[in-house]
Amino acid sequence: MATIGYIELLRRNPRFRRVWFAQVVSELGDWLNYAALMQLARQYGGGAEVAALIIAIELLPFPLWSPVAGMVADRFNRRHVMMVADALRAIIVLGFLLVDRPERLWLIYVLSALQFSLAAFFEPARQALIPSVARPEELITANQLTSLTWSFTLGLGGFLGGVVANAFGLTAAFFVDAASFLVSFAILFGMRDAPAVAETKGMAFDTGFWVAVRYLFAHPVTLAVALVKTGISIAGSGVWLLAVVYGQTVFPFGKDGALAVGILNGAHGLGALIGALTAGWFMRRQFNIAWSIFWLFMLRGLFFGLWAGAFSLWVVALATILITICGSLLWVVSTTLLQRLVPDALRGRVFAIEFGALTFAMAGFLWLTGRALDSWGWTPTLTVLATGASAFLVAAGWLLLMGVSSLTKLSAETTADTVANKPAREPGVA
């Protein structure tokens, strides 16, 4: 069945267009900020464990705030939630300019925690808003485009962050990041709210968070889909830190390895871009989606083996591209399925649970990666091999969680509901 193209979607859907524009400018600034923070930490004496701690601090607010953020996204106007988060983040990121000596390194931790506490409210609201501003027949294309955008901004922002830090210093990245949040706020400010979703009209809002937890446990296939991104985090969150380590110490290029790190960030973005571009084709094939998810995790494990045997920066970059192609496919497939399987009244809370679980796993495994490199005496090669082994374990865990009967049900029939203009339901669940 034919689906709408990217340009046509942006041209004919002004609400989604504004959500997308806001994402572009905000995420581009974020990746500039990320690259600058990694360089700032190294400049004032931080090693791999400090870099891992910074990333973990940026991730932990998602699971910590997820109960509140999910209820806020379901209770209040989601566009307004995003705007408030943008305005406050524009102020907070300017505080990084105060970090000008080693004694003030602690400010990175505090400000990062504040910035990403607000992101923990922004992201579930954005994900829950997309099905409200995109028609059912537009949903796959909308999720592909948002994933492509993340990939593009990761690649461009990460690369430019390395270039800017190498050529102009760190201050410019923080100003650009603050400006990006203000631009995102202005774009959302001019957007008209979407009409209420039919299924939620006249429904009383259930203020409890646990109703979403009970819903997931009552719908095991939906629960399994909601945990796919957690599996990605377990079997690949170390990529972020390993890219820094390989760029700065194993295959350094540029001042303090800044250009090498930028190249690996760009490779990460390119792989995610390719994966997102092929996701629509992938979901419209007559594949068994459950087994496809299993094999994508298995392939990630094999590609980490390629990374471990790398003899140059460019082989690491190739392995990174292949790893993130698989991850991007897993991301788009699970997002689209979850948006269609979960009712609008619960969508904010379910996405908050999903983000909380994936970021908790990411923070934990990033910390373990940093400990392995700095405290346990693991070499970068051994750490990469261990990360690949975790991908195989996640693939086995997916099969166990789904169960044999469900593996044949989460198939192209479920995926077809994301294309057709009809409500989806969990296979085998009334």
Side-chain angles (χ1 to χ4, degrees), residues 214-286:
R214 291 194 299 270
Y215 172 85
L216 287 174
F217 279 99
H219 298 76
V221 173
T222 304
L223 174 62
V225 173
L227 290 175
V228 167
K229 295 189 185 74
T230 300
I232 298 173
S233 298
I234 292 172
S237 57
V239 168
W240 303 101
L241 180 57
L242 288 167
V244 174
V245 171
Y246 268 74
Q248 292 180 346
T249 64
V250 180
F251 301 116
F253 178 44
K255 182 180 178 181
D256 293 326
L259 290 178
V261 174
I263 288 170
L264 293 182
N265 283 336
H268 196 147
L270 177 60
L273 182 70
I274 295 170
L277 280 171
T278 58
W281 171 87
F282 182 85
M283 294 187 71
R284 288 189 290 272
R285 301 306 94 185
Q286 295 302 308

Side-chain angles (χ1 to χ4, degrees), residues 49-217:
E49 193 167 353
V50 171
L53 180 59
I54 292 171
I55 300 171
I57 288 172
E58 292 181 347
L59 296 172
L60 282 175
F62 286 91
L64 293 176
W65 284 107
S66 62
V68 178
M71 290 188 288
V72 168
D74 284 337
R75 179 65 180 86
F76 297 102
N77 184 301
R78 289 162 181 164
R79 179 175 64 91
H80 293 169
V81 172
M82 295 165 65
M83 289 168 58
V84 171
D86 275 338
L88 294 176
R89 285 187 291 178
I91 298 171
I92 289 170
V93 296
L94 292 177
F96 290 117
L97 298 173
L98 299 174
V99 183
D100 56 1
R101 52 185 179 271
E103 292 78 13
R104 291 186 174 179
L105 196 64
W106 62 271
L107 274 174
I108 293 180
Y109 307 141
V110 174
L111 294 171
S112 294
L114 291 174
Q115 178 184 350
F116 284 87
S117 290
L118 292 165
F121 285 84
F122 181 95
E123 199 56 38
R126 185 182 70 84
Q127 288 279 17
L129 181 63
I130 288 175
S132 300
V133 298
R135 301 176 183 88
E137 69 273 15
E138 298 172 338
L139 195 54
I140 287 180
T141 303
N143 282 320
Q144 280 184 270
L145 187 56
T146 56
S147 183
L148 285 168
T149 300
W150 181 89
S151 307
F152 174 77
T153 56
L154 164 61
L156 181 60
F159 177 74
L160 289 179
V163 172
V164 169
N166 186 68
F168 303 108
L170 302 173
T171 302
F174 298 125
F175 275 112
V176 170
D177 194 22
S180 72
F181 287 127
L182 293 177
V183 173
S184 175
F185 175 92
I187 292 170
L188 293 170
F189 182 80
M191 171 183 165
R192 291 189 298 116
D193 287 317
V197 176
E199 67 186 36
T200 64
K201 290 179 179 178
M203 291 177 58
F205 175 73
D206 188 332
T207 57
F209 178 76
W210 290 104
V211 65
V213 177
R214 291 194 299 270
Y215 172 85
L216 287 174
F217 279 99

Side-chain angles (χ1 to χ4, degrees), residues 262-393:
I263 288 170
L264 293 182
N265 283 336
H268 196 147
L270 177 60
L273 182 70
I274 295 170
L277 280 171
T278 58
W281 171 87
F282 182 85
M283 294 187 71
R284 288 189 290 272
R285 301 306 94 185
Q286 295 302 308
F287 298 139
N288 182 295
I289 297 300
W291 279 109
S292 297
I293 290 172
F294 167 79
W295 286 114
L296 285 169
F297 277 121
M298 292 291 288
L299 284 172
R300 279 169 69 85
L302 292 174
F303 294 143
F304 273 111
L306 174 63
W307 182 334
F311 54 83
S312 73
L313 178 67
W314 304 109
V315 177
V316 175
L318 174 62
T320 301
I321 291 170
L322 295 172
I323 289 165
T324 50
I325 286 173
C326 296
S328 182
L329 282 169
L330 287 164
W331 192 282
V332 175
V333 168
S334 62
T335 297
T336 304
L337 289 175
L338 200 61
Q339 286 172 341
R340 295 296 296 147
L341 290 170
V342 179
D344 183 76
L346 291 174
R347 200 172 287 138
R349 280 165 284 185
V350 169
F351 273 107
I353 292 170
E354 184 200 41
F355 269 88
L358 78 90
T359 51
F360 182 81
M362 188 177 291
F365 279 84
L366 274 168
W367 178 79
L368 287 174
T369 302
R371 291 286 292 175
L373 290 165
D374 278 0
S375 301
W376 300 346
W378 287 22
T379 64
T381 299
L382 178 60
T383 307
V384 171
L385 285 173
T387 303
S390 71
F392 296 129
L393 293 176

